[in-house]
Amino acid sequence: MVTGIRNGNFRVYESNNDLQDGYAINTAQKEREVVIAALQKDGSALQYAGAELRNDRKIVMTAVQHYGYVLQYASDALRNDRKIVMAAVQEDGSALQYASLQLRNDQEVVLAAVEEAASALQHASDTLRNDQEVVSTAVEQNGYALQYASDALRNDQLVVWNAVQQNGDALQYASDTLRNDQLVVWNAVQQYGYALQYASDALWNDREFVLTVVRMNGSALKYASVELRGDKEVVMAAVQKDVNALQYASVELRGDKEVVMAAVQQDGNALQY
């Protein structure tokens, strides 16, 4: 027996001669066995199966349980089969993009997908990207998933709080209102000092807030307002934490003896600034 692909489909041939001469003895059961064997080694082989086999529930289930992304090769009917889609997204959350519109609006299916891969949120329906439970689950896995949430939830303090706590850099996807919220921004900065760059102009110009931040991360001085980068107390606090912060100070303070001494006492290379 010889196996091969003919016209994009798996076929089983009785001999090499039959294969060469093009006289195929196609046995449905044998073909099915060949496809199953192939899928166990490489799920992408499903794309070469005939339409009938791509609509075979057992075959497709076997494939997606090992390689969720091959859901894309299943028939339309099976991409709307809840159990098959659930198996696919549990193996590979991004497989959600190949599910039917109906199942991309199924909360349980989408929750399973974002638990496996938070970025799968981008493939959920608009309704579920506005679902607090779904979005919270996603951002707790990966804060960057906040970018796929609805505008309403990117303005939800709890959702954004969870996102920036997981990854401070996610603050960039929060609403303008929450990027002006000291508690939210502070939570983000604690996780990632440079998150200050996403804070509102008002916070960049808030002396007490910036002073607190640069005491944690001196180089965050880079994102402070021009006025505060010329504030000696703020700059001193920054360079005492990180000498590299000197480069972000105003021209005047980079020439201030006390500020420069504070920096070079930590690292002589600070003179380059």
Side-chain angles (χ1 to χ4, degrees), residues 72-244:
Q72 63 185 298
Y73 305 122
S75 66
D76 290 346
L78 293 185
R79 285 191 285 117
N80 192 43
D81 183 299
R82 196 170 187 276
K83 288 186 178 180
I84 283 179
V85 171
M86 183 66 83
V89 300
Q90 287 175 333
E91 198 286 321
D92 181 351
S94 66
L96 181 65
Q97 64 188 296
Y98 305 118
S100 67
L101 292 176
Q102 179 180 337
L103 292 179
R104 285 161 58 193
N105 193 42
D106 183 305
Q107 189 193 52
E108 188 177 351
V109 169
V110 174
L111 277 171
V114 299
E115 284 172 358
E116 201 289 319
S119 61
L121 181 62
Q122 66 186 297
H123 306 302
S125 66
D126 290 346
T127 299
L128 292 181
R129 286 191 287 114
N130 192 43
D131 182 294
Q132 189 176 63
E133 182 181 359
V134 169
V135 174
S136 291
T137 299
V139 300
E140 285 169 10
Q141 297 288 324
N142 188 330
Y144 281 126
L146 182 63
Q147 65 187 294
Y148 306 120
S150 66
D151 289 345
L153 290 183
R154 287 192 284 116
N155 192 44
D156 182 293
Q157 189 180 55
L158 178 60
V159 169
V160 174
W161 182 276
N162 289 335
V164 300
Q165 193 161 42
Q166 198 285 323
N167 188 329
D169 201 37
L171 182 63
Q172 63 185 296
Y173 304 116
S175 67
D176 291 345
T177 299
L178 291 181
R179 286 191 284 114
N180 191 45
D181 184 306
Q182 282 204 23
L183 289 177
V184 170
V185 174
W186 177 241
N187 191 33
V189 170
Q190 284 185 307
Q191 204 283 328
Y192 178 63
Y194 296 111
L196 183 61
Q197 65 185 296
Y198 306 121
S200 66
D201 290 344
L203 287 182
W204 282 350
N205 200 40
D206 185 304
R207 190 176 187 277
E208 292 308 310
F209 182 78
V210 173
L211 192 55
T212 301
V213 170
V214 298
R215 283 171 176 160
M216 287 181 54
N217 184 334
S219 288
L221 180 64
K222 175 181 181 180
Y223 305 111
S225 67
V226 172
E227 180 183 348
L228 292 180
R229 284 189 278 123
D231 183 306
K232 188 170 180 176
E233 184 182 356
V234 171
V235 172
M236 283 288 284
V239 299
Q240 285 171 349
K241 182 65 177 178
D242 182 353
V243 297
N244 293 310

Side-chain angles (χ1 to χ4, degrees), residues 3-131:
T3 62
I5 298 175
R6 182 182 179 84
N7 296 328
N9 296 326
F10 279 102
R11 291 290 182 266
V12 180
Y13 304 95
E14 291 300 313
S15 70
N16 281 315
N17 287 335
D18 284 341
L19 181 58
Q20 292 169 0
D21 295 340
Y23 296 101
I25 301 176
N26 177 14
T27 305
Q29 183 56 37
K30 289 181 179 179
E31 181 180 358
R32 195 168 184 277
E33 292 172 358
V34 169
V35 173
I36 291 175
L39 292 175
Q40 290 173 340
K41 292 185 176 181
D42 182 359
S44 65
L46 182 63
Q47 66 186 299
Y48 302 115
E52 182 178 346
L53 294 181
R54 284 188 284 113
N55 193 44
D56 185 301
R57 201 168 186 280
K58 182 178 180 180
I59 284 178
V60 173
M61 181 64 85
T62 298
V64 301
Q65 285 177 330
H66 295 90
Y67 310 93
Y69 74 93
V70 303
L71 179 64
Q72 63 185 298
Y73 305 122
S75 66
D76 290 346
L78 293 185
R79 285 191 285 117
N80 192 43
D81 183 299
R82 196 170 187 276
K83 288 186 178 180
I84 283 179
V85 171
M86 183 66 83
V89 300
Q90 287 175 333
E91 198 286 321
D92 181 351
S94 66
L96 181 65
Q97 64 188 296
Y98 305 118
S100 67
L101 292 176
Q102 179 180 337
L103 292 179
R104 285 161 58 193
N105 193 42
D106 183 305
Q107 189 193 52
E108 188 177 351
V109 169
V110 174
L111 277 171
V114 299
E115 284 172 358
E116 201 289 319
S119 61
L121 181 62
Q122 66 186 297
H123 306 302
S125 66
D126 290 346
T127 299
L128 292 181
R129 286 191 287 114
N130 192 43
D131 182 294

Side-chain angles (χ1 to χ4, degrees), residues 229-232 246 249-257 259-260:
R229 284 189 278 123
D231 183 306
K232 188 170 180 176
L246 182 59
S250 66
V251 173
E252 180 183 352
L253 290 181
R254 279 188 279 128
D256 183 285
K257 184 177 179 179
V259 171
V260 174

